[in-house]
mmCIF file of all heavy atoms in Angstrom:
data_model
loop_
_atom_site.group_PDB
_atom_site.id
_atom_site.type_symbol
_atom_site.label_atom_id
_atom_site.label_comp_id
_atom_site.label_asym_id
_atom_site.label_seq_id
_atom_site.Cartn_x
_atom_site.Cartn_y
_atom_site.Cartn_z
ATOM 1 N N LYS C 21 -97.651 -123.813 -30.921
ATOM 2 C CA LYS C 21 -96.864 -124.408 -31.998
ATOM 3 C C LYS C 21 -95.628 -123.536 -32.305
ATOM 4 O O LYS C 21 -95.739 -122.319 -32.470
ATOM 5 C CB LYS C 21 -97.725 -124.499 -33.306
ATOM 6 C CG LYS C 21 -97.007 -125.280 -34.384
ATOM 7 C CD LYS C 21 -97.899 -125.381 -35.615
ATOM 8 C CE LYS C 21 -97.211 -126.170 -36.744
ATOM 9 N NZ LYS C 21 -98.104 -126.297 -37.938
ATOM 10 N N THR C 84 -83.197 -112.630 -53.040
ATOM 11 C CA THR C 84 -84.472 -112.471 -53.787
ATOM 12 C C THR C 84 -85.605 -112.990 -53.014
ATOM 13 O O THR C 84 -86.680 -112.389 -52.990
ATOM 14 C CB THR C 84 -84.325 -113.215 -55.132
ATOM 15 O OG1 THR C 84 -83.135 -112.831 -55.803
ATOM 16 C CG2 THR C 84 -85.561 -112.944 -56.008
ATOM 17 N N ALA C 85 -85.464 -114.139 -52.330
ATOM 18 C CA ALA C 85 -86.533 -114.695 -51.505
ATOM 19 C C ALA C 85 -86.900 -113.767 -50.372
ATOM 20 O O ALA C 85 -88.104 -113.580 -50.069
ATOM 21 C CB ALA C 85 -86.119 -116.040 -50.983
ATOM 22 N N GLU C 112 -84.465 -112.585 -64.897
ATOM 23 C CA GLU C 112 -83.653 -112.653 -66.118
ATOM 24 C C GLU C 112 -82.646 -113.780 -66.072
ATOM 25 O O GLU C 112 -82.431 -114.507 -67.045
ATOM 26 C CB GLU C 112 -82.911 -111.309 -66.319
ATOM 27 C CG GLU C 112 -83.889 -110.149 -66.698
ATOM 28 C CD GLU C 112 -83.182 -108.806 -66.750
ATOM 29 O OE1 GLU C 112 -81.964 -108.775 -66.400
ATOM 30 O OE2 GLU C 112 -83.804 -107.793 -67.053
ATOM 31 N N PRO C 131 -85.773 -143.628 -71.734
ATOM 32 C CA PRO C 131 -85.838 -143.199 -70.345
ATOM 33 C C PRO C 131 -84.423 -143.181 -69.681
ATOM 34 O O PRO C 131 -83.645 -144.103 -69.890
ATOM 35 C CB PRO C 131 -86.730 -144.240 -69.686
ATOM 36 C CG PRO C 131 -86.566 -145.479 -70.528
ATOM 37 C CD PRO C 131 -86.427 -144.955 -71.939
ATOM 38 N N VAL C 190 -68.208 -115.904 -63.424
ATOM 39 C CA VAL C 190 -68.331 -114.753 -62.497
ATOM 40 C C VAL C 190 -67.948 -113.487 -63.222
ATOM 41 O O VAL C 190 -68.633 -112.459 -63.080
ATOM 42 C CB VAL C 190 -67.474 -114.989 -61.227
ATOM 43 C CG1 VAL C 190 -67.458 -113.701 -60.383
ATOM 44 C CG2 VAL C 190 -67.974 -116.156 -60.379
ATOM 45 N N ASP C 192 -68.037 -112.890 -66.520
ATOM 46 C CA ASP C 192 -69.038 -112.589 -67.479
ATOM 47 C C ASP C 192 -70.387 -112.052 -66.876
ATOM 48 O O ASP C 192 -71.046 -111.284 -67.443
ATOM 49 C CB ASP C 192 -69.395 -113.820 -68.308
ATOM 50 C CG ASP C 192 -68.201 -114.302 -69.175
ATOM 51 O OD1 ASP C 192 -67.321 -113.486 -69.411
ATOM 52 O OD2 ASP C 192 -68.164 -115.500 -69.548
ATOM 53 N N VAL C 205 -71.396 -93.345 -63.498
ATOM 54 C CA VAL C 205 -70.467 -92.462 -62.779
ATOM 55 C C VAL C 205 -69.747 -91.534 -63.645
ATOM 56 O O VAL C 205 -69.606 -90.304 -63.354
ATOM 57 C CB VAL C 205 -69.469 -93.348 -61.959
ATOM 58 C CG1 VAL C 205 -68.407 -92.429 -61.362
ATOM 59 C CG2 VAL C 205 -70.176 -94.119 -60.879
ATOM 60 N N VAL C 213 -79.071 -92.353 -64.032
ATOM 61 C CA VAL C 213 -79.124 -91.489 -62.833
ATOM 62 C C VAL C 213 -80.476 -91.635 -62.192
ATOM 63 O O VAL C 213 -80.611 -91.704 -60.953
ATOM 64 C CB VAL C 213 -78.896 -90.007 -63.252
ATOM 65 C CG1 VAL C 213 -79.175 -89.112 -62.064
ATOM 66 C CG2 VAL C 213 -77.442 -89.853 -63.695
ATOM 67 N N LEU C 228 -69.340 -98.790 -57.697
ATOM 68 C CA LEU C 228 -68.577 -99.094 -58.898
ATOM 69 C C LEU C 228 -67.249 -99.670 -58.494
ATOM 70 O O LEU C 228 -66.792 -100.680 -59.081
ATOM 71 C CB LEU C 228 -68.394 -97.821 -59.709
ATOM 72 C CG LEU C 228 -67.363 -97.927 -60.873
ATOM 73 C CD1 LEU C 228 -67.775 -98.962 -61.859
ATOM 74 C CD2 LEU C 228 -67.187 -96.583 -61.516
ATOM 75 N N VAL C 235 -64.687 -107.964 -60.427
ATOM 76 C CA VAL C 235 -64.350 -108.374 -61.762
ATOM 77 C C VAL C 235 -62.855 -108.583 -61.906
ATOM 78 O O VAL C 235 -62.357 -109.622 -62.429
ATOM 79 C CB VAL C 235 -64.827 -107.346 -62.795
ATOM 80 C CG1 VAL C 235 -64.288 -107.656 -64.224
ATOM 81 C CG2 VAL C 235 -66.337 -107.328 -62.802
ATOM 82 N N TYR C 241 -57.910 -114.520 -60.989
ATOM 83 C CA TYR C 241 -58.060 -115.923 -60.626
ATOM 84 C C TYR C 241 -58.058 -116.820 -61.853
ATOM 85 O O TYR C 241 -57.439 -117.908 -61.891
ATOM 86 C CB TYR C 241 -59.289 -116.171 -59.780
ATOM 87 C CG TYR C 241 -59.405 -117.575 -59.241
ATOM 88 C CD1 TYR C 241 -58.752 -117.976 -58.064
ATOM 89 C CD2 TYR C 241 -60.191 -118.534 -59.914
ATOM 90 C CE1 TYR C 241 -58.878 -119.221 -57.537
ATOM 91 C CE2 TYR C 241 -60.305 -119.824 -59.399
ATOM 92 C CZ TYR C 241 -59.630 -120.146 -58.254
ATOM 93 O OH TYR C 241 -59.747 -121.462 -57.735
ATOM 94 N N LYS C 270 -41.148 -152.565 -100.932
ATOM 95 C CA LYS C 270 -40.673 -153.565 -100.003
ATOM 96 C C LYS C 270 -39.383 -154.237 -100.442
ATOM 97 O O LYS C 270 -38.583 -154.651 -99.631
ATOM 98 C CB LYS C 270 -41.765 -154.651 -99.789
ATOM 99 C CG LYS C 270 -43.014 -154.082 -99.036
ATOM 100 C CD LYS C 270 -44.011 -155.170 -98.804
ATOM 101 C CE LYS C 270 -45.255 -154.585 -98.074
ATOM 102 N NZ LYS C 270 -46.258 -155.675 -97.791
ATOM 103 N N ASN C 295 -34.415 -144.194 -103.578
ATOM 104 C CA ASN C 295 -35.489 -144.214 -104.592
ATOM 105 C C ASN C 295 -34.978 -145.012 -105.786
ATOM 106 O O ASN C 295 -33.999 -144.558 -106.462
ATOM 107 C CB ASN C 295 -35.849 -142.778 -104.964
ATOM 108 C CG ASN C 295 -37.109 -142.789 -105.838
ATOM 109 O OD1 ASN C 295 -37.078 -143.248 -106.958
ATOM 110 N ND2 ASN C 295 -38.174 -142.187 -105.307
ATOM 111 N N GLU C 307 -34.394 -133.915 -85.735
ATOM 112 C CA GLU C 307 -34.126 -132.688 -84.960
ATOM 113 C C GLU C 307 -34.677 -132.886 -83.512
ATOM 114 O O GLU C 307 -34.510 -132.058 -82.653
ATOM 115 C CB GLU C 307 -34.814 -131.481 -85.565
ATOM 116 C CG GLU C 307 -36.328 -131.574 -85.608
ATOM 117 C CD GLU C 307 -36.995 -130.351 -86.196
ATOM 118 O OE1 GLU C 307 -36.249 -129.360 -86.514
ATOM 119 O OE2 GLU C 307 -38.235 -130.348 -86.340
ATOM 120 N N GLY C 311 -36.729 -138.633 -81.654
ATOM 121 C CA GLY C 311 -36.593 -139.277 -82.955
ATOM 122 C C GLY C 311 -37.740 -138.971 -83.891
ATOM 123 O O GLY C 311 -38.575 -138.125 -83.671
ATOM 124 N N SER C 323 -34.492 -132.680 -89.421
ATOM 125 C CA SER C 323 -33.653 -131.501 -89.340
ATOM 126 C C SER C 323 -33.322 -131.002 -90.721
ATOM 127 O O SER C 323 -32.704 -131.693 -91.498
ATOM 128 C CB SER C 323 -32.341 -131.802 -88.595
ATOM 129 O OG SER C 323 -31.442 -130.722 -88.696
ATOM 130 N N LYS C 326 -29.380 -130.631 -91.361
ATOM 131 C CA LYS C 326 -28.553 -131.796 -91.386
ATOM 132 C C LYS C 326 -28.968 -132.845 -92.399
ATOM 133 O O LYS C 326 -28.162 -133.684 -92.762
ATOM 134 C CB LYS C 326 -28.458 -132.392 -89.978
ATOM 135 C CG LYS C 326 -27.827 -131.421 -88.936
ATOM 136 C CD LYS C 326 -27.813 -132.083 -87.567
ATOM 137 C CE LYS C 326 -27.194 -131.151 -86.569
ATOM 138 N NZ LYS C 326 -27.189 -131.763 -85.194
ATOM 139 N N LYS C 334 -23.446 -144.908 -109.643
ATOM 140 C CA LYS C 334 -23.234 -146.370 -109.677
ATOM 141 C C LYS C 334 -23.774 -146.977 -108.380
ATOM 142 O O LYS C 334 -23.005 -147.363 -107.486
ATOM 143 C CB LYS C 334 -21.713 -146.665 -109.826
ATOM 144 C CG LYS C 334 -21.115 -146.118 -111.091
ATOM 145 C CD LYS C 334 -19.615 -146.400 -111.144
ATOM 146 C CE LYS C 334 -18.965 -145.815 -112.413
ATOM 147 N NZ LYS C 334 -17.523 -146.121 -112.397
#
Side-chain angles (χ1 to χ4, degrees):
K21 187 177 180 181
T84 308
E112 289 173 358
V190 172
D192 295 340
V205 172
V213 171
L228 170 60
V235 172
Y241 186 83
K270 293 184 179 181
N295 189 294
E307 64 177 356
S323 170
K326 298 179 180 179
K334 300 178 180 179

